[in-house]
Amino acid sequence: MAKDVLDTLLFVDTNVLLDFYRIRKTDISLKYLEQLEACMDRLITGSQVEMEYKKNRQRVIVESLTSFRIPDWSKLTGPALVADLQAMKMIEKKKKEISVQRAKLDEKIQKVLSDPIRNDPVYQCLQRIFKNDCPYNLSRTKKERFTIRNLARKRFTLGYPPRKQSDTSIGDAVNWEWIIQCSIQSGKHIVIVTRDTDYGAIYEGKSYLNDWLKQEFSERVSKKRKIVLTDKLAQGLKIVHAAVSKEMEEEEQRLIAELVGKCDDAPEDET
């Protein structure tokens, strides 16, 4: 293996998976999903991530549609003196066409919300990943989950990171304990993709792993083993050698900038 190539496992946090509903360009979102699925045998995941995704999927879809509404047509109603002009008639025709198409989209959205197995390509792809029987998927069928949960309860009680101040569940602790276990068992390096600051700090577009987590990883896993924290899925995929285009990177960067702007005054979310 070349010196500049890392033998790496990838953990993608729930908040990043939910971005597939926030990316405005559907083709870009699907390209990310394709690359994620292509390396799913290297993905660290489990029933905890699956639960968090399915718990929040509908909410994020609805939130992403807040700006998608019919315009105020009253501002496009012309005075009587131009009512008979061809241009005004065309405007009225287009208004009706938009209303019809919006109704069709509403019907599709309702199907995505109510029956994702048949109508949601994001759900379909992630379902395949969650059901993938690989050593790094802590599914509900694996007895290891009980050991991981016990370790997670202990670190949660002691106040260890990753943990938000408002946390009432051990979800982040479960994920971290499973990441540690996967690295120990596999002998592979780790890449964590998350926008949660309980894993570390984000400053000037760069992520820094929490000091305690860095020390803990070194002591429990290996001083020689590498762990990389990033808030960009494109970067994480490139490290595990998935194909990422410039357009994919640019769209993710646009999304991150948009989310940062929205979250400045927002309360912390559990995902």
Side-chain angles (χ1 to χ4, degrees):
M1 186 173 288
K3 290 183 179 179
D4 58 343
V5 173
L6 289 177
D7 190 11
T8 312
L9 299 180
L10 177 67
F11 173 77
V12 182
D13 206 1
T14 312
N15 53 32
V16 178
L17 296 179
L18 291 168
D19 282 350
F20 294 125
Y21 297 107
R22 300 180 179 113
I23 293 176
R24 296 300 181 188
K25 296 182 180 179
T26 303
D27 59 327
I28 298 296
S29 181
L30 294 178
K31 286 178 182 177
Y32 268 114
L33 284 167
E34 288 172 4
Q35 294 306 316
L36 199 63
E37 189 170 6
C39 62
M40 67 179 177
D41 287 337
R42 286 178 171 266
L43 281 179
I44 297 174
T45 190
S47 58
Q48 179 66 34
V49 176
E50 180 182 6
M51 180 279 292
E52 290 173 356
Y53 160 72
K54 291 179 178 177
K55 173 184 175 182
N56 291 282
R57 183 188 75 94
Q58 293 176 334
R59 173 182 60 80
V60 172
I61 291 173
V62 172
E63 287 177 354
S64 70
L65 295 168
T66 54
S67 61
F68 181 65
R69 57 174 65 92
I70 294 291
D72 183 359
W73 291 136
S74 64
K75 296 179 179 179
L76 271 178
T77 302
L81 62 94
V82 297
D84 291 332
L85 293 180
Q86 185 61 28
M88 198 64 230
K89 292 179 180 179
M90 286 299 298
I91 289 175
E92 292 299 322
K93 180 180 178 181
K94 294 298 181 183
K95 284 161 59 175
K96 292 179 181 178
E97 289 177 1
I98 290 173
S99 296
V100 169
Q101 296 303 319
R102 170 57 199 265
K104 291 180 179 179
L105 287 173
D106 280 341
E107 183 179 353
K108 174 63 177 177
I109 291 166
Q110 289 172 23
K111 289 180 179 179
V112 167
L113 290 170
S114 63
D115 191 2
I117 293 176
R118 291 186 178 87
N119 298 288
D120 184 353
V122 176
Y123 186 99
Q124 292 165 355
C125 177
L126 293 181
Q127 189 73 352
R128 290 191 293 271
I129 290 173
F130 293 138
K131 299 306 177 186
N132 182 37
D133 186 19
C134 81
Y136 315 119
N137 182 0
L138 189 64
S139 66
R140 293 174 63 86
T141 62
K142 292 185 177 178
K143 293 182 179 179
E144 293 169 280
R145 73 186 191 279
F146 298 112
T147 301
I148 296 299
R149 287 175 185 172
N150 288 334
L151 290 169
R153 289 189 187 98
K154 179 180 177 181
R155 71 180 305 116
F156 184 85
T157 301
L158 293 172
Y160 285 13
R163 178 181 176 180
K164 305 175 189 68
Q165 290 184 354
S166 59
D167 264 356
T168 56
S169 74
I170 63 172
D172 284 338
V174 167
N175 290 333
W176 174 256
E177 288 293 339
W178 182 232
I179 289 168
I180 291 285
Q181 188 63 26
C182 287
S183 187
I184 291 172
Q185 290 180 344
S186 67
K188 300 181 188 298
H189 305 290
I190 298 294
V191 176
I192 297 174
V193 183
T194 183
R195 302 208 178 99
D196 274 355
T197 54
D198 45 336
Y199 279 90
I202 301 174
Y203 180 71
E204 295 294 328
K206 188 174 180 179
S207 298
Y208 300 87
L209 186 65
N210 176 274
D211 293 333
W212 177 260
L213 295 181
K214 185 188 298 184
Q215 177 180 322
E216 183 183 347
F217 186 83
S218 176
E219 292 173 351
R220 293 179 63 187
V221 181
S222 169
K223 290 181 172 61
K224 296 181 179 179
R225 204 75 49 80
K226 293 184 179 180
I227 180 167
V228 177
L229 182 69
T230 178
D231 64 340
K232 300 175 183 65
L233 181 56
Q235 182 179 349
L237 287 171
K238 285 196 289 186
I239 293 174
V240 296
H241 321 304
V244 178
S245 68
K246 182 179 179 182
E247 187 180 17
M248 290 166 69
E249 291 186 80
E250 290 175 348
E251 178 61 16
E252 184 179 36
Q253 193 58 52
R254 181 206 63 76
L255 174 64
I256 290 173
E258 181 180 306
L259 290 174
V260 169
K262 287 182 178 179
C263 292
D264 281 343
D265 301 317
E268 285 187 328
D269 183 81
E270 61 188 30
T271 61

